[in-house]
Amino acid sequence: MSVPADTFHRGPALSELREPVHGPLLDGRLRDLLGGKKIVMTGVTGFIGEQLLWKMLTDLPDTRPSVLVRRKGSAGATARVRNLLKKKIFADLAEQHGGLDGLLARIEVIEGDLPNVPALPADLDVVVHCAGDVSFDPPIDQAFTTNVVGTRVLMERMLEAVTGPDGERTKVPHYVHISTAYTAGRRRGAIPEAGHVHGIDYEAETRAGLAMREQVEAASRMPERLTELRHQAERVHRQAGYLTTAADTERRRQEWVTAELVAAGTERARSLGWTDVYTFTKALGERVVTDLGADIEISIVRPAIVESSWLHPYPGWIEGFKMAEPLILAYGRGELPEFPASADAVIDIVPCDYVVNAILAVCATDPTPGEPEYYHVSSGARNPLTFHDIYGHIRSYFTAHPLENVSKPGAPLPEWKFPGAVSVERLLSTSERAHDLAERVISRAPRSHQTRKLARDLDLMRGRLDFWRRYHTLYNEYAQSELHFVDDNTLALTRSLDPADVATFAFDTAGYDWTTYLEDVHCPAITASVRRMDALRKKRANRPTTFKDLSTNTAGASAVAVFDLDGTIMSTNVIEQYLWARLPELSPLDRAVELGGVLGRLPSYLLTEQRDRGSFLRAVYRRYRGLDLAELEHRVDTTMNDFILDRVSPDAIRRIEEHRAAGHTTILITGAVSVLTRPLRGLFDIILAAELGSDADGKATGYLATSPLVGESRAAWLQHYAALRGVDLTRSFAYADSHSDLPMLSTVGNPVAVSPDISLMRAAQRKNWSIVEWKTKSPTPRWRLPA
C-alpha cells in the first residue's frame, strides 16, 4: 500500500496521543557535533556495526572511530578489520585514502571480545555497544555471557578509562547501548520510550543462567541418557562399527546439551514474560546499563526488525539473512503454506541505514547524567505494515519475479488465509506425522533407484517441515504481537536534524512507502544472491564433487582405488553367491531342500546383518560346510567365469580401467569368498576376500580362516597399507554401496557412493560426496544358476 509520505504522520490513533518530548535535541550539523570525538564501538563486524563504521568514515571525516574486535583463529583484530575494509562498500573510501593502509590508519583497533574486554582508550568520548548475541534461541549460558556479562564488563572498562588515579572522573562519557524494541516482552499495547518496569534480579538470573551449562553437561553424562543416545546411534551406524557409533553418540550428546540449554533459556524467558532468551537477556542488559551508568550520559536505542537499507550505502544493502529473509524466501519457493500470524498484527520493520543514522544522531546528543534516554527506531506508530500487507507485497513480487528453484515447479504460490496459530499448528503436526509414517515405510523398502528417489523427496520434505517448525516456534510470539512502539523521542530527534543533514542522515520512518521498499528494494536484494547460487548449483548439477575426471588426476601410483563388490560393481550378494556354489552339485530334490532352508533362515540372516555384518557373513558361510573347495575352484574357472563377469557393471569396469590407466593401484575388498572372485583377477591388483577354512580332505569346515574385512576393519587395513606403501589417501578413491562402508569411504579424499542404501545416500549428501548409479544388464536372468 503506497501512501504519500506527508500523510504518514497521521497514522493510527496512537500518533495522536504523543507525550511532550523531554529528550535532548540536536543543535548543529552532525559532522560538527561529532567532530574530534573518539567513538569506541563494538560489533563492527556485524550487520549494523559494519554500516555504522562505513557511515562514520564516509560522512563524519573528523570523528575518530575506535573498534573492539576479537581474534578469530589465526586472524588478529587488525587483520579482521583489514578484511572488513576490503568489502564493496569501502572500495571508494579506500581509493580516497590512497589505499587500504590509508583507510585503516583512520581506525584505532582494539583486540578483545565480550566479556574479555581489555583496557579502553582514556580519550574516549562515546561508547557504542552494537555487539551482542542476536540469535533468538541461543543456549541460555551463551545469551547471558554476551548480552549481560559482556555489557557489564564493557561498561566497567569504560568507567575505568575515564577515572583518574585519584578515583575522580576525568570526563563524563556518553554510553550508547543498542538494544531491541522487543525488550518489552509479551506486553500488549503502547510501549513508551522508557525503562521497562520489572522486578527481575539480573544478578541472580545471570548466575543461574551461567550455571545451567554445568548442570546440563552433567545430566548428559548420566548412564540412562548415554544409553538412550547410544541406542539411537546404533540404530543408524551399527553396521559401520563401534567407533563410528561412538562418534555419533558423542555428537548426539553435544546436540542434546545445546537443545536443553536452548529450551532452558526459552522457558525461563517465557516464565517471566518475555518471548525468548534473546529479548530477556537484552532487557536485563538494559538494567545493567542503567545501574552502572547512574552518573554518566546514557542513551538506549531500541531498533525494531532491522532489514536492508533504504538508501545507503546503496538501496537494498544487507549482510546475511536477518529475521524476515528466510520466511520471504521460503514463501517464494512454495515451502511455507501458511503462517501463524494475525493478519492485522503489525510487523515493525525498519531499514538498516535509518537505524545507523539514528544511532549517530543519538551519539551527538548530550543527555543529562543519571537520566537515561530511550529511543525506539521503528515504523509501526506512523507507517504501519501489517502481516497481511507484507504478504501481499511479497506475493506480488514473486508473482512478477518467480524463483527458478522451487519445491513444486509449476505450482502456484501458497495463498495464506491467516487461520490462526492453532490451525497452523494442527496442519504442521499432521504433516510431521505423515512424514514419520512415510519414513518408517521407506526404511523397510528394498533398495532401488525409486526407493532412493522417494527417500530424497522425504528428506526435502523433512527439511521444509523442520524449517516451518523452527520458525513457527521462534516467530509465533512476534507474529501474534500487538505491540505499538511509541517513537516520540526519535521523531523529535529526527525533526531536529540540521536541514543540511536530512538527505544524508535521515531516519524518519515515514519517509518511504512499503511498495517501493519491499517490491523494488528489499526482495530484489535478498533474492539476487539466491538466484546466483541456484544458477551455480544448476550449472554444477552434472559435475560431482568427488567423482573426478581421472585424465586430470596426476596422483599416479601414489594413489589407490578401492572397490567393494556386492551391490557396487556386481548386483549380487553373498546368499546368492552361496546358491551358485552349492546348488549345481545337488540333485533336484536336494536343491529344493537347500533352497527351502535358505529361505527359512532369510529373516534371521537379515536381522543379523542389521546388527553386525561380520556375524551375518559367518552365519551364511556355515552353510558351505562339506563343500569340496578344489571342485568349487574348478567350476569357477570353467563354468562360472563368464557367468560371474556377466554380472559386473560395465560402468564399473570402465572406471576400474580408467584407474589402471592413471597408474592407480586397484583394490577389491569384499566379504565374498575368495574363490568366487577369481574371474575378477584381471581387473584388480589386490583382492581381499573371505577365506573359507578347510579340513584335511579339502572340504569347507563352515568357518572362516580369518576374520572378514567389514566396516571399520576395511578402513584400518587401508590406512595400514597406505602407511607401508607411501600411498596418498587424500588423492585416493573408494567406491561402495552400503552404510557399513562409511568408515572406508571417509578414509579417502575421493569417496563415491554407488547405488547406495538410504543411510549411505544421506551420509553422502551431508558430506557432499558424489552419488552414482552403476547398472548391470546381465544376459543371464538372476534366477538362473551356472550350468
Side-chain angles (χ1 to χ4, degrees):
M1 179 177 64
S2 178
V3 181
D6 60 358
T7 67
F8 279 132
H9 71 278
R10 301 294 302 171
L14 180 65
S15 62
E16 305 295 336
L17 303 176
R18 299 191 177 279
E19 296 293 330
V21 176
H22 302 290
L25 302 178
L26 301 172
D27 184 21
R29 297 199 62 183
L30 290 182
R31 64 186 303 159
D32 298 326
L33 295 173
L34 295 174
K37 290 191 175 182
K38 173 170 285 189
I39 298 180
V40 177
M41 58 179 294
T42 65
V44 70
T45 57
F47 178 44
I48 295 176
E50 179 181 331
Q51 191 182 139
L52 187 60
L53 177 63
W54 173 85
K55 193 71 173 179
M56 281 193 279
L57 294 173
T58 302
D59 296 311
L60 300 173
D62 298 323
T63 300
R64 299 176 295 149
S66 178
V67 296
L68 175 68
V69 179
R70 68 181 176 88
R71 170 180 289 274
K72 190 173 183 179
S74 60
T78 301
R80 292 191 67 199
V81 174
R82 175 181 287 273
N83 288 333
L84 176 69
L85 297 178
K86 292 178 182 178
K87 290 189 175 184
K88 174 183 175 181
I89 64 172
F90 295 99
D92 291 342
L93 283 168
E95 185 175 346
Q96 295 168 15
H97 287 77
L100 206 58
D101 290 335
L103 182 59
L104 186 61
R106 276 199 59 188
I107 306 167
E108 179 183 25
V109 180
I110 306 168
E111 186 165 300
D113 64 2
L114 300 174
N116 303 307
V117 182
L120 298 182
D123 59 341
L124 64 84
D125 297 291
V126 182
V127 172
V128 180
H129 184 26
C130 287
D133 197 317
V134 297
S135 168
F136 287 100
D137 59 344
I140 186 171
D141 61 314
Q142 180 179 314
F144 273 97
T145 297
T146 304
N147 294 335
V148 181
V149 178
T151 297
R152 185 191 68 209
V153 175
L154 177 66
M155 289 201 69
E156 289 172 346
R157 296 293 177 270
M158 176 191 69
L159 296 174
E160 291 169 2
V162 297
T163 301
D166 56 359
E168 296 294 325
R169 294 275 164 79
T170 57
K171 64 171 62 176
V172 177
H174 185 183
Y175 179 85
V176 180
H177 186 75
I178 312 305
S179 186
T180 171
Y182 293 94
T183 52
R186 304 172 92 174
R187 295 174 173 84
R188 294 186 175 185
I191 306 300
E193 293 173 295
H196 300 308
V197 178
H198 62 77
I200 308 300
D201 184 341
Y202 64 81
E203 292 182 340
E205 290 298 325
T206 300
R207 288 193 297 270
L210 297 178
M212 284 297 296
R213 168 70 65 173
E214 185 175 349
Q215 296 172 24
V216 174
E217 284 281 357
S220 74
R221 290 174 166 82
M222 297 300 290
E224 59 273 15
R225 178 64 56 198
L226 292 175
T227 299
E228 177 187 350
L229 297 174
R230 178 171 57 82
H231 287 169
Q232 292 174 3
E234 286 175 348
R235 282 194 289 271
V236 178
H237 297 291
R238 182 184 289 111
Q239 288 186 333
Y242 294 114
L243 295 181
T244 304
T245 300
D248 191 57
T249 301
E250 176 60 14
R251 178 188 65 80
R252 290 170 185 270
R253 187 195 68 79
Q254 293 174 357
E255 289 181 351
W256 183 87
V257 167
T258 299
E260 288 295 303
L261 290 171
V262 168
T266 300
E267 289 307 316
R268 184 53 180 158
R270 290 184 177 176
S271 73
L272 293 172
W274 277 269
T275 54
D276 46 54
V277 74
Y278 165 67
T279 56
F280 175 46
T281 53
K282 291 294 282 186
L284 298 187
E286 287 189 9
R287 185 60 60 84
V288 170
V289 170
T290 56
D291 281 0
L292 293 185
D295 58 352
I296 64 172
E297 298 178 356
I298 295 291
S299 298
I300 296 177
V301 180
R302 294 173 175 162
I305 301 171
V306 186
E307 297 293 347
S308 65
S309 288
W310 171 244
L311 290 175
H312 302 122
Y314 52 82
W317 179 87
I318 192 170
E319 287 281 331
F321 285 168
K322 308 307 169 191
M323 181 174 179
E325 286 70 45
L327 303 177
I328 293 173
L329 292 171
Y331 178 82
R333 294 193 189 281
E335 297 174 351
L336 202 61
E338 196 50 88
F339 193 66
S342 300
D344 57 355
V346 170
I347 176 170
D348 208 309
I349 290 175
V350 61
C352 183
D353 51 343
Y354 276 43
V355 175
V356 166
N357 291 343
I359 292 171
L360 290 173
V362 169
C363 289
T365 63
D366 292 309
T368 302
E371 298 182 12
E373 298 290 343
Y374 295 83
Y375 300 89
H376 284 151
V377 188
S378 54
S379 59
R382 297 179 303 111
N383 190 0
L385 174 73
T386 67
F387 277 96
H388 189 270
D389 292 335
I390 192 173
Y391 159 70
H393 289 303
I394 295 169
R395 182 178 177 83
S396 175
Y397 171 77
F398 283 115
T399 298
H401 310 283
L403 292 173
E404 184 174 347
N405 183 15
V406 295
S407 60
K408 295 179 180 179
L413 290 167
E415 292 189 34
W416 288 359
K417 303 297 184 183
F418 298 97
V422 174
S423 296
V424 174
E425 171 62 33
R426 187 182 303 116
L427 175 61
L428 177 54
S429 298
T430 301
S431 300
E432 289 171 334
R433 287 194 296 270
H435 176 275
D436 292 343
L437 177 60
E439 183 67 32
R440 287 195 294 271
V441 172
I442 202 72
S443 66
R444 291 167 173 78
R447 185 194 309 186
S448 67
H449 174 74
Q450 186 63 28
T451 303
R452 285 188 288 273
K453 182 179 183 303
L454 291 173
R456 283 192 290 268
D457 291 342
L458 280 177
D459 291 344
L460 289 174
M461 180 182 177
R462 178 78 267 171
R464 294 174 190 133
L465 289 174
D466 288 345
F467 172 89
W468 193 8
R469 170 60 68 188
R470 172 176 169 78
Y471 282 91
H472 176 74
T473 302
L474 284 179
Y475 294 159
N476 183 42
E477 291 285 337
Y478 296 91
Q480 305 297 322
S481 171
E482 295 182 13
L483 298 175
H484 300 281
F485 302 115
V486 176
D487 62 350
D488 294 343
N489 289 349
T490 306
L491 178 61
L493 190 62
T494 189
R495 287 175 174 172
S496 71
L497 278 172
D498 188 281
D501 278 343
V502 172
T504 304
F505 292 97
F507 54 96
D508 182 354
T509 53
Y512 53 86
D513 68 277
W514 291 113
T515 300
T516 303
Y517 177 72
L518 290 171
E519 298 185 34
D520 299 336
V521 176
H522 187 62
C523 285
I526 66 171
T527 58
S529 60
V530 172
R531 295 180 196 277
R532 287 194 298 269
M533 290 301 299
D534 286 346
L536 186 60
R537 276 192 287 265
K538 183 177 180 181
K539 183 178 179 181
R540 292 180 174 177
N542 297 319
R543 290 167 47 195
T545 55
T546 58
F547 193 84
K548 294 182 177 178
D549 182 358
L550 300 182
S551 64
T552 61
N553 189 288
T554 58
S558 67
V560 298
V562 186
F563 294 81
D564 175 49
L565 178 64
D566 299 342
T568 303
I569 70 172
M570 286 182 68
S571 57
T572 182
N573 56 69
V574 295
I575 294 178
E576 189 176 14
Q577 294 160 10
Y578 165 72
L579 296 176
W580 296 348
R582 174 66 82 177
L583 297 188
E585 70 173 8
L586 301 177
S587 67
L589 178 60
D590 289 339
R591 287 183 185 181
V593 172
E594 183 63 22
L595 185 58
V598 171
L599 291 176
R601 291 290 307 279
L602 192 57
S604 173
Y605 289 148
L606 294 177
L607 288 174
T608 303
E609 183 180 28
Q610 291 177 3
R611 290 193 298 269
D612 182 72
R613 176 74 176 173
S615 298
F616 163 71
L617 293 176
R618 294 181 178 94
V620 173
Y621 292 151
R622 290 290 180 89
R623 305 193 75 92
Y624 277 85
R625 183 178 180 182
L627 192 67
D628 189 312
L629 297 183
E631 173 61 24
L632 176 59
E633 185 175 307
H634 175 70
R635 282 194 285 117
V636 168
D637 289 343
T638 55
T639 61
M640 294 177 66
N641 188 81
D642 292 342
F643 180 86
I644 292 174
L645 289 176
D646 281 345
R647 281 161 171 73
V648 179
S649 167
D651 296 324
I653 292 176
R654 279 192 293 271
R655 189 63 173 176
I656 295 167
E657 290 175 345
E658 289 173 2
H659 278 291
R660 293 174 71 87
H664 302 162
T665 300
T666 55
I667 303 173
L668 177 67
I669 303 182
T670 176
V673 294
S674 61
V675 65
L676 294 176
T677 66
R678 290 171 65 84
L680 305 175
R681 288 176 297 180
L683 294 173
F684 296 98
D685 300 306
I686 300 172
I687 294 179
L688 301 171
E691 295 290 344
L692 293 172
S694 60
D695 58 20
D697 297 325
K699 301 290 183 68
T701 62
Y703 299 100
L704 292 172
T706 59
S707 298
L709 284 177
V710 296
E712 291 166 349
S713 61
R714 294 187 177 187
W717 181 91
L718 185 56
Q719 290 168 331
H720 182 63
Y721 176 85
L724 291 176
R725 302 299 178 87
V727 171
D728 184 354
L729 288 179
T730 64
R731 304 189 69 180
S732 295
F733 296 76
Y735 304 82
D737 71 302
S738 172
H739 187 73
S740 63
D741 285 316
L742 184 62
M744 180 181 77
L745 292 169
S746 301
T747 302
V748 300
N750 301 290
V752 179
V754 181
S755 304
D757 58 28
I758 292 176
S759 296
L760 179 59
M761 180 193 75
R762 287 170 169 164
Q765 289 172 332
R766 288 194 302 270
K767 296 173 179 290
N768 201 28
W769 294 347
S770 290
I771 299 175
V772 300
E773 300 276 348
W774 286 349
K775 298 187 179 299
T776 302
K777 295 182 179 179
S778 173
T780 306
R782 291 287 296 267
W783 51 264
R784 181 169 295 176
L785 296 174

